[in-house]
Amino acid sequence: MTTRLRVVIADDHRVMLDTLVRLLSREFDVVAAVSDGLAAVKKAAELKPDLLVLDIAMPGLNGIAAARAALAEGSTAHIVFVTNMRDREFVDGSLALGDVGFVVKDRLIADLLPAAHHVLAGQAFVSPSVSRLTDR
């Protein structure tokens, strides 16, 4: 029997959180689904997931800050960000954390699982509709 990799998801919109759980549950064991960055950091420390899937724009602690906090607390989880934002500052801010995924929500069905597989293999992933923003 193969052990499925463990995922913690954070998104402050309930419908999106449910969608993320449904999509990721196809291939992963979703061990927590929370609605803010602080809860994501707490669950990352408690559950030691293989993957964190974080909305960038959340009240309190946004996804990028939550990822930084989780990593600072010793999490070894790989990270995929999901967002509606396509601004260069958010792409650059997320990619500054290393080999992460950056998935725009309107490409969620097509890009979420490939992004997860890329980051788990140590490769960055940016949704094709925004990848041109990262070209210098």
Side-chain angles (χ1 to χ4, degrees):
M1 184 171 119
T2 305
T3 303
R4 289 168 36 126
L5 297 178
R6 299 160 47 89
V7 181
V8 168
I9 305 169
D11 195 298
D12 59 320
H13 293 101
R14 186 78 221 173
V15 172
M16 182 55 64
L17 187 61
D18 292 344
T19 299
L20 290 166
V21 169
R22 188 179 77 254
L23 291 171
L24 289 163
S25 292
R26 295 175 184 171
E27 295 187 28
F28 301 99
D29 182 13
V30 176
V31 295
V34 298
S35 62
D36 65 75
L38 289 172
V41 173
K42 180 180 177 189
K43 290 297 183 184
E46 176 185 327
L47 301 172
K48 309 212 180 320
D50 302 290
L51 183 67
L52 287 172
V53 176
L54 305 168
D55 181 18
I56 288 182
M58 291 185 287
L61 193 61
N62 71 43
I64 294 173
R68 284 188 186 123
L71 294 171
E73 289 185 9
S75 176
T76 58
H78 299 273
I79 300 163
V80 173
F81 295 106
V82 293
T83 187
N84 285 320
M85 297 179 209
R86 298 168 191 264
D87 297 342
R88 177 76 184 234
E89 69 181 280
F90 294 108
V91 176
D92 289 348
S94 65
L95 294 176
L97 293 173
D99 293 328
V100 302
F102 187 94
V103 175
V104 290
K105 289 182 177 179
D106 64 1
R107 299 253 332 148
L108 201 61
I109 292 171
D111 292 352
L112 183 60
L113 289 174
H117 292 293
H118 273 80
V119 301
L120 288 165
Q123 303 167 346
F125 179 96
V126 178
S127 284
S129 59
V130 295
S131 62
R132 62 179 162 66
L133 295 175
T134 61
D135 296 335
R136 297 190 189 259

